Amino acid sequence: MTTMTQTSARFREFKMPDVGEGLTEAEILKWFVQPGDTVTDGQVVCEVETAKAAVELPIPFDGVVHELRFAEGTTVDVGEVIITVDVAPGSEDAPAPAAAAPVQEPVEAAPAEEPKGRTPVLVGYGVAESSTKRRPRKGAAPEAAAVAAAVQAELNGHGSAAPVAPVVPQAPVDAPPVGRPLAKPPVRKLAKDLGIDLAAVVPTGKDGIITREDVHAAAAPVAVAVAVAPEVAEPVAVSVPETPATVGSARETRIPVKGVRKAIAQAMVGSAFTAPHVTEFVTVDVTRTMKLVAELKEDKEMAGVRVNPLLVIAKALLVAIKRNPEVNAAWDETNQEIVQKHYVNLGIAAATPRGLIVPNIKDAHDKTLPQLAAALGELVATARDGKTSPAAMAGGTVTITNVGVFGVDTGTPILNPGESAILAVGAIKLQPWVHKGKVKPRQVTTLALSFDHRLVDGELGSKVLADVAAILEQPKRLITWA
């Protein structure tokens, strides 16, 4: 699980594990320990956020924390050492404990030599160690910080009385040796596609790594990046004709794309440009469903669970799938097969502080109404607390997204990757409606069903949506059709 350092056999390293499904990196959200703290096998030492969820990491041995390699907020590749532990405290050959990494600039110790190949970590296996040595990033000269501050003041409308004289940047004291520029493979490919020589690109990433933004900045003929001190945010290339080079703007904020937001972006782009989407709509009178919800809230069998319209809508969709099982399928591009699912893992789109996630209720088709209500309540509570596991978001077959909670009438939802259909539920509103030949105020909502047209023809999609609407209009069909 871990490897010994070369410095002393008493120090053990704990690496960033692959916490689920081949993820390559994770952001350290919070450290629960500091250098000098005693830890025990299985104790949670930090919380990390992957592209799918926030996960707590337990350490697999006893000892005293010697060093934290990265600060909170740092994104770390799987397989990198994040903490070292003194497993035999009190020995004389112990070096002085290292202080915790600073908030703005993480300190990374020199990596220890390890056997070639993949080394096992906490969950899954880490990647093979790279022979490339990362170079420490040096702070900008004080003069550069002064220039940046003056420029930012000018942007904010607080310009100085006298212009700031240009300052010639000084070479760093410990300039890194000239060699192959540090950049990840996607960045190298981007540079190659744009015809940019990486050796001529100024790196702004952690430890001197060239980022995509650096390559784009180098490709812009007019843009000029200004170096700033470590206390200032990452430099932004700004193109302003016939004006001095500037950095950033009080009118814009740049937010790094990572974690859940990065996963959402990749999943939505992949889904939108892989599965041909079709969306159909229906407006339905749900007055009887709302009466049923009110009655269920008073039912002793439903005591202790949350009863709301979403519960009945979920049950209606499950019945519609049972009546039209072909809709519950997946497209296997590799084998050119349609995979029919004889189970329903019902996804529920949930908005959380970290972004949109879609956990699912396993084998929802087998659950009674009280069991489904309990599962929904647990799913929502776990998502709200940020404790949804990657396993809880894997293996979904069909999803419901309730945009009505935001007062929205309906939408055209994008499929969760690997799924065949997604049902959007709009706001339930009191509207004039023809009921028994007379116009009366009724509770009405609009449903939208998006489906993968490779799997689902228009007739099948229409039947599923019509069945859901019919059940919500006459909830007794939950019994007659089930």
Side-chain angles (χ1 to χ4, degrees), residues 27 29 49-54 255 257-265 268 348-359 379-380 382-388 393 401 406 416:
E27 178 187 353
L29 293 179
E49 182 182 46
T50 69
K52 295 187 175 182
I255 302 173
V257 179
K258 56 185 178 179
V260 174
R261 176 53 54 191
K262 184 176 181 179
I264 293 170
M268 293 300 96
I348 304 295
T352 73
R354 292 190 176 98
L356 174 70
I357 62 173
V358 189
L379 179 148
V380 171
T382 303
R384 186 186 298 116
D385 295 339
K387 301 300 182 182
T388 304
M393 292 183 281
T401 177
F406 305 109
N416 203 30

Side-chain angles (χ1 to χ4, degrees), residues 1-5 11-19 40-43 57-62 78-85 87 114-115 118-127 129:
M1 275 191 163
T2 55
T3 57
M4 296 291 186
T5 64
F11 292 95
R12 300 187 68 179
E13 298 175 336
F14 179 56
K15 298 180 179 181
M16 176 67 74
D18 177 0
V19 294
T40 57
D41 186 356
Q43 178 179 338
L57 298 184
I59 198 154
F61 37 78
D62 301 334
V78 168
E80 287 202 53
V81 177
I82 60 174
I83 182 175
T84 57
V85 174
V87 295
E114 300 189 14
R118 298 167 66 87
T119 54
V121 288
L122 179 62
V123 181
Y125 286 83
V127 294
E129 294 292 336

Side-chain angles (χ1 to χ4, degrees), residues 345-369:
N345 289 344
L346 182 62
I348 304 295
T352 73
R354 292 190 176 98
L356 174 70
I357 62 173
V358 189
N360 59 76
I361 300 172
K362 309 298 183 186
D363 295 324
H365 63 290
D366 282 339
K367 297 188 182 298
T368 63
L369 197 62

Side-chain angles (χ1 to χ4, degrees), residues 97-112:
V103 173
Q104 291 294 335
E105 187 173 357
V107 177
E108 183 177 347

Side-chain angles (χ1 to χ4, degrees), residues 117-183:
R118 298 167 66 87
T119 54
V121 288
L122 179 62
V123 181
Y125 286 83
V127 294
E129 294 292 336
S130 170
S131 59
T132 304
K133 301 291 185 180
R134 289 195 173 184
R135 298 173 293 179
R137 182 176 65 180
K138 300 298 180 181
E143 292 85 355
V147 173
V151 171
Q152 187 62 53
E154 188 70 29
L155 287 172
N156 293 336
H158 308 295
S160 57
V164 180
V167 179
V168 179
Q170 298 180 355
V173 177
D174 298 323
V178 178
R180 189 184 186 209
L182 296 178

Side-chain angles (χ1 to χ4, degrees), residues 4-47:
M4 296 291 186
T5 64
Q6 274 191 328
T7 306
S8 171
R10 53 181 283 195
F11 292 95
R12 300 187 68 179
E13 298 175 336
F14 179 56
K15 298 180 179 181
M16 176 67 74
D18 177 0
V19 294
E21 301 186 8
L23 299 174
T24 60
E25 62 184 17
E27 178 187 353
I28 297 176
L29 293 179
K30 183 177 180 62
W31 283 108
F32 298 118
V33 296
Q34 293 297 324
D37 290 352
T38 300
V39 294
T40 57
D41 186 356
Q43 178 179 338
V44 174
V45 294
C46 67
E47 182 182 28

